[in-house]
Amino acid sequence: MGDAPSSPPPPSPPPRPTKLNLFGALSFIIVRVSYRNADGVWISPTLSLEELREQVYDTSEGAITLKKQTEACSYGKVRIEPYSGTVNGVRIVDGGCEVQADPDDPDNPIRATLSVLRSTFGGDLDGPIVSGAYVMVMYPRDMPGVPATPWAQGNVSFYPADYHERQGHQMHEVGHNYGLAHANMDGQ
């Protein structure tokens, strides 16, 4: 008598999702970018820095902000805090600062913005621009470049003017900064 045919091994369980270490206070910086267009005119986001702060950090009754949504969804385990301090000589107050990008190539101001971020905050973009802080770069509607997007290295995300008041888009891009991918639901 021969050996009984062996059954195939049971399938391996699906991999467990990576547990992110996102507890406690997370520092955020809003960078409001103005740039000089091909006609030499400075273009800025329609919202002031104070209005952008309100869009991200406001906790008043009825406000829907990145801070409130993050804290509610995490049951208070993750808190978004406006960064205050000095980075490479740049003073950041209440989680925000303003920079000007004067591109050599007005058709590619995003490259100029990246260059300004490097020179403003020091270092390069192969790692965090500001160690320990998430950076939200808010740029004007008429600035050609990229749509809302996270920087692949982790702590920077970019938002054209159309996304300054869309907390869902802010949460989406910051989620990528946290290391989350699309859920592959509904075409995502």
Side-chain angles (χ1 to χ4, degrees):
M1 252 174 141
D3 291 337
S6 62
S7 20
S12 300
R16 299 188 72 153
T18 302
K19 187 173 182 179
L20 301 173
N21 188 15
L22 293 172
F23 295 103
L26 303 177
S27 295
F28 273 73
I29 301 169
I30 298 167
V31 178
R32 183 177 182 263
V33 176
S34 299
Y35 88 104
R36 189 187 323 253
N37 69 11
D39 298 325
V41 176
W42 283 99
I43 308 241
S44 299
T46 53
L47 297 180
S48 69
L49 181 57
E50 189 55 39
E51 290 169 320
L52 290 170
R53 284 183 181 116
E54 288 174 10
Q55 292 297 317
V56 176
Y57 306 125
D58 189 3
T59 58
S60 62
E61 176 115 12
I64 299 174
T65 64
L66 181 66
K67 178 177 176 59
K68 281 184 71 175
Q69 295 301 103
T70 298
E71 292 173 9
C73 289
S74 70
Y75 296 96
K77 292 180 181 172
V78 179
R79 296 180 319 280
I80 290 182
E81 299 296 336
Y83 179 93
S84 288
T86 302
V87 178
N88 200 34
V90 177
R91 188 160 184 246
I92 299 165
V93 178
D94 297 329
C97 67
E98 301 201 42
V99 300
Q100 293 183 328
D102 194 359
D104 294 329
D105 176 5
D107 292 329
N108 195 349
I110 290 296
R111 185 175 306 150
T113 301
L114 293 173
S115 177
V116 166
L117 291 173
R118 279 189 210 103
S119 63
T120 300
F121 295 116
D124 57 36
L125 292 180
D126 291 335
I129 286 183
V130 178
S131 182
Y134 292 91
V135 179
M136 299 176 73
V137 179
M138 307 292 200
Y139 56 91
R141 177 183 329 275
D142 296 333
M143 185 171 171
V146 295
T149 186
W151 189 254
Q153 282 75 16
N155 76 330
V156 181
S157 48
F158 296 88
Y159 305 88
D162 294 343
Y163 295 87
H164 295 174
E165 298 179 69
R166 295 183 183 174
Q167 289 72 24
H169 286 90
Q170 293 171 7
M171 181 65 85
H172 177 99
E173 302 309 335
V174 168
H176 289 311
N177 291 142
Y178 293 162
L180 301 172
H182 289 160
N184 293 322
M185 297 171 63
D186 299 326
Q188 286 288 313

